[in-house]
Amino acid sequence: AAKDAQAKAARDAQASKDKAAKDAEAKAARDTQASKDKAAKEAAERESSAEKAAQEAAKNKADAKKLASDAKRAFENKVRNSWNPPDKAGEKATVSVVLDNNGNITSVSVNASDPAVKASADKAVRAAAPYPMPDDPEARKQARSFKTTLTVK
């Protein structure tokens, strides 16, 4: 009977060891899976954050482009409103202007076949200065040069 009790105790001890090992293995597997899940979630959050940053950057770039385009249109209108062309209907002048960050002219180039039209266009560009620059740095950078064609009516 003592042998049976010893054998039973040995089996129970082994079963207990086996159960403890199995429980430890299951816990390790759960912990490993939890770590993998956490890592995957963090990676997804980083990716989502990167996507949001990329979308934000694209939106800012588009906004800057629109601001610059609006500013250039305003500059062109300012030149047209300042222009007092000679009486030479149909004559054209193509004006290219480069500005500094404050809207002051750094260079003007006027192409026109008629010298009087060319001189009047140059005078209009200079009279319209300074040009109001956008506050946004990227839009300001894009708005620093513009080109327009003036046609005598």
Side-chain angles (χ1 to χ4, degrees), residues 73-96:
R73 195 169 19 266
F75 299 166
E76 291 169 9
N77 289 333
K78 204 170 178 193
V79 170
R80 281 191 179 82
N81 292 335
S82 298
W83 193 36
N84 186 13
D87 190 16
K88 301 195 175 194
E91 286 291 325
K92 294 182 180 195
T94 301
V95 179
S96 297

Side-chain angles (χ1 to χ4, degrees), residues 48-66:
S48 174
S49 182
E51 281 178 25
K52 284 178 186 171
Q55 288 171 349
E56 183 71 21
K59 182 186 180 310
N60 289 345
K61 187 174 181 180
D63 289 349
K65 188 172 182 177
K66 182 177 181 344

Side-chain angles (χ1 to χ4, degrees), residues 1-9 11:
K3 262 188 173 178
D4 287 345
Q6 263 185 336
K8 182 175 179 343
R11 281 192 311 272

Side-chain angles (χ1 to χ4, degrees), residues 67-125:
L67 287 171
S69 176
D70 290 349
K72 288 180 180 186
R73 195 169 19 266
F75 299 166
E76 291 169 9
N77 289 333
K78 204 170 178 193
V79 170
R80 281 191 179 82
N81 292 335
S82 298
W83 193 36
N84 186 13
D87 190 16
K88 301 195 175 194
E91 286 291 325
K92 294 182 180 195
T94 301
V95 179
S96 297
V97 183
V98 178
L99 306 170
D100 66 15
N101 279 332
N102 297 318
N104 299 309
I105 298 170
T106 60
S107 73
V108 178
S109 171
V110 181
N111 290 323
S113 58
D114 184 275
V117 172
K118 182 175 181 173
S120 68
D122 185 87
K123 185 176 177 183
V125 168

Side-chain angles (χ1 to χ4, degrees), residues 8-23:
K8 182 175 179 343
R11 281 192 311 272
D12 288 350
Q14 187 60 45
S16 191
K17 278 185 191 176
D18 290 349
K19 183 177 181 333
K22 200 173 188 183
D23 288 350

